[in-house]
């Protein structure tokens, strides 16, 4: 007798989802067309590109490169995109967002990564007034904006950001989650968790890229990307095991009311399952034409 299929249904930030798998915010989530394509896929949520207050083109090209790690493994990547995006109002477009939530029946999460605290608060104000936005993901982890530090590593600044964000009236209207950088030292895990546990954070995403890596093309005798002298964020298969460790540590240290979302190096169902075993409620993967093969195994 065939066994009943395993349910992938989960709840993230109090929102019931059809599965535990959805897209990561990244280069393939910048346009309305891309977001609507994700909405029509098996992704449980549609997550926007990390938005700044105004449109920006990002860092010079080439700014992204992949390295194959084998047929079954998620490719390793390095990027210094510099947050190219079309500005917050583009991602709050009424027609596009209603198509996602009303026609295609998917929750719509908007990612914010302002150039200043003031920008983040202004974007939070706008996003929480948009009926079709289901939740907010605040990105404090981007390593690729030239001249800007990673907020999640500066705990004094991180504390100020959390205090101001959760004092904002908009924080009472929509669930808010935090996208984290990777941590490596236990006192840093503990300090980040201590700060997050003080506030009504609904979820964390762990983890973003590892900043300031360098990949060299030996034949061209130069770095594979242009910005910042070739330094960029290491992602994909390169960081899977760091990401698994971050998920495990955050699950141990955070309040049980805060969901942990795994991200980094997820290509197959086995990859996703490993994150679940480490304590993730759900996982984010990079969308490809074949839905990243996440449903194959």
């Amino acid at each position: 007798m065939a066994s009943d299929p395993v349910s992938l249904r989960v709840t993230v930030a109090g929102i019931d989802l059809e599965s535990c798998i959805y897209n990561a915010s990244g280069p393939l989530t910048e346009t309305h067309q891309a977001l609507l394509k994700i909405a029509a896929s098996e992704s449980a949520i549609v997550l926007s590109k990390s938005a700044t207050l105004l449109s920006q083109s990002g860092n010079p090209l080439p700014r992204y490169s992949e390295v194959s790690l084998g047929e079954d493994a998620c490719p390793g990547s390095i990027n210094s995109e510099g947050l190219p995006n079309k500005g917050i109002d583009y991602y709050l477009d009424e027609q596009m967002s209603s198509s996602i939530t009303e026609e295609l029946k998917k929750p719509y999460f908007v990612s914010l990564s302002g150039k200043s605290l003031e920008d983040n608060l202004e974007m939070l104000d706008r996003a929480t007034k948009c009926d079709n936005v289901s939740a907010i993901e605040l990105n404090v982890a981007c390593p690729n904006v030239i001249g800007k530090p990673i907020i999640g590593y500066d705990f004094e600044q991180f504390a100020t950001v959390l205090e101001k964000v959760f004092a904002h009236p908009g924080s009472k209207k929509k669930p808010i989650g935090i996208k984290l950088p990777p941590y490596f030292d236990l006192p840093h895990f503990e300090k980040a968790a201590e700060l997050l546990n003080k506030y009504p954070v609904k979820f964390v995403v762990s983890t973003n890229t590892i900043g300031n890596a360098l990949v060299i093309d030996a034949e061209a005798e130069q770095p594979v990307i242009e910005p910042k002298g070739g330094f960029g964020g290491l992602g994909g298969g390169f960081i899977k095991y760091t990401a698994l460790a971050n998920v495990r540590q955050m699950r141990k240290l955070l309040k049980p009311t805060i969901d942990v979302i795994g991200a980094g190096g997820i290509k197959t169902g086995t990859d996703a399952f490993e994150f679940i075993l480490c304590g993730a409620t759900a996982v984010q993967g990079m969308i490809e034409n074949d839905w990243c093969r996440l449903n194959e195994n």
Side-chain angles (χ1 to χ4, degrees):
M1 179 181 295
S3 59
D4 293 334
V6 176
S7 174
L8 296 179
R9 292 186 177 185
V10 296
T11 300
V12 170
I15 300 169
D16 292 332
L17 305 177
E18 289 298 312
S19 85
C20 59
I21 300 165
Y22 67 102
N23 72 286
S25 178
L28 301 180
T29 60
E30 187 173 348
T31 67
H32 288 175
Q33 181 182 14
L35 293 171
L36 291 171
K37 182 176 180 180
I38 293 167
S41 78
E42 296 181 64
S43 181
I45 292 170
V46 178
L47 173 61
S48 78
K49 187 80 166 67
S50 287
T52 49
L53 188 59
L54 301 176
S55 175
Q56 59 184 43
S57 58
N59 293 337
L61 299 172
R63 58 195 184 197
Y64 179 87
S65 182
E66 286 189 354
V67 177
S68 175
L69 300 178
E71 182 179 353
D72 295 327
C74 185
S77 67
I78 184 169
N79 88 85
S80 183
E81 295 242 323
L83 289 176
N85 74 96
K86 298 184 181 297
I88 184 60
D89 290 338
Y90 178 88
Y91 300 106
L92 301 180
D93 178 78
E94 174 69 22
Q95 183 176 353
M96 184 274 299
S97 60
S98 65
S99 294
I100 292 171
T101 60
E102 296 177 19
E103 295 177 24
L104 296 167
K105 307 298 184 185
K106 295 289 180 69
Y108 180 43
F109 285 26
V110 172
S111 177
L112 308 180
S113 189
K115 299 171 91 170
S116 67
L117 175 56
E118 292 72 23
D119 282 2
N120 275 325
L121 294 176
E122 174 61 29
M123 290 193 292
L124 179 64
D125 188 64
R126 297 184 193 184
T128 55
K129 290 176 179 176
C130 179
D131 291 339
N132 295 316
V133 171
S134 308
I136 306 295
E137 180 184 290
L138 179 63
N139 183 353
V140 299
C142 182
N144 298 322
V145 179
I146 297 172
K148 298 291 183 180
I150 298 174
I151 295 171
Y153 287 155
D154 181 343
F155 291 119
E156 184 175 347
Q157 183 183 190
F158 193 11
T160 299
V161 167
L162 290 173
E163 178 185 2
K164 297 296 185 182
V165 164
F166 286 99
H168 189 283
S171 69
K172 312 295 190 299
K173 299 177 182 179
K174 308 280 186 183
I176 297 177
I178 309 294
K179 186 169 188 177
L180 297 171
Y183 296 105
F184 303 95
D185 198 9
L186 183 58
H188 295 163
F189 284 107
E190 293 172 339
K191 183 61 179 178
E194 177 188 342
L195 292 174
L196 292 162
N197 283 335
K198 291 180 179 180
Y199 297 96
V201 176
K202 297 302 182 184
F203 64 94
V204 298
V205 179
S206 189
T207 177
N208 204 351
T209 58
I210 298 174
N212 292 307
L214 185 64
V215 176
I216 298 294
D217 183 336
E219 292 186 3
E221 301 181 5
Q222 63 184 26
V224 296
I225 61 173
E226 171 68 22
K228 299 170 61 179
F231 289 90
L234 206 62
F238 286 142
I239 69 163
K240 175 183 170 183
Y241 300 106
T242 297
L244 287 168
N246 273 255
V247 166
R248 173 62 64 86
Q249 288 285 11
M250 283 299 165
R251 184 64 283 157
K252 288 169 58 179
L253 295 168
L254 291 174
K255 297 182 296 187
T257 54
I258 301 176
D259 296 316
V260 178
I261 312 301
I266 299 170
K267 180 177 181 180
T268 69
T270 300
D271 293 330
F273 185 52
E274 289 173 5
F275 278 85
I276 301 299
L277 290 174
C278 287
T281 299
V283 298
Q284 295 180 357
M286 186 65 75
I287 295 290
E288 295 176 354
N289 290 335
D290 58 358
W291 178 221
C292 210
R293 294 176 56 206
L294 278 168
N295 291 311
E296 285 192 7
N297 56 0

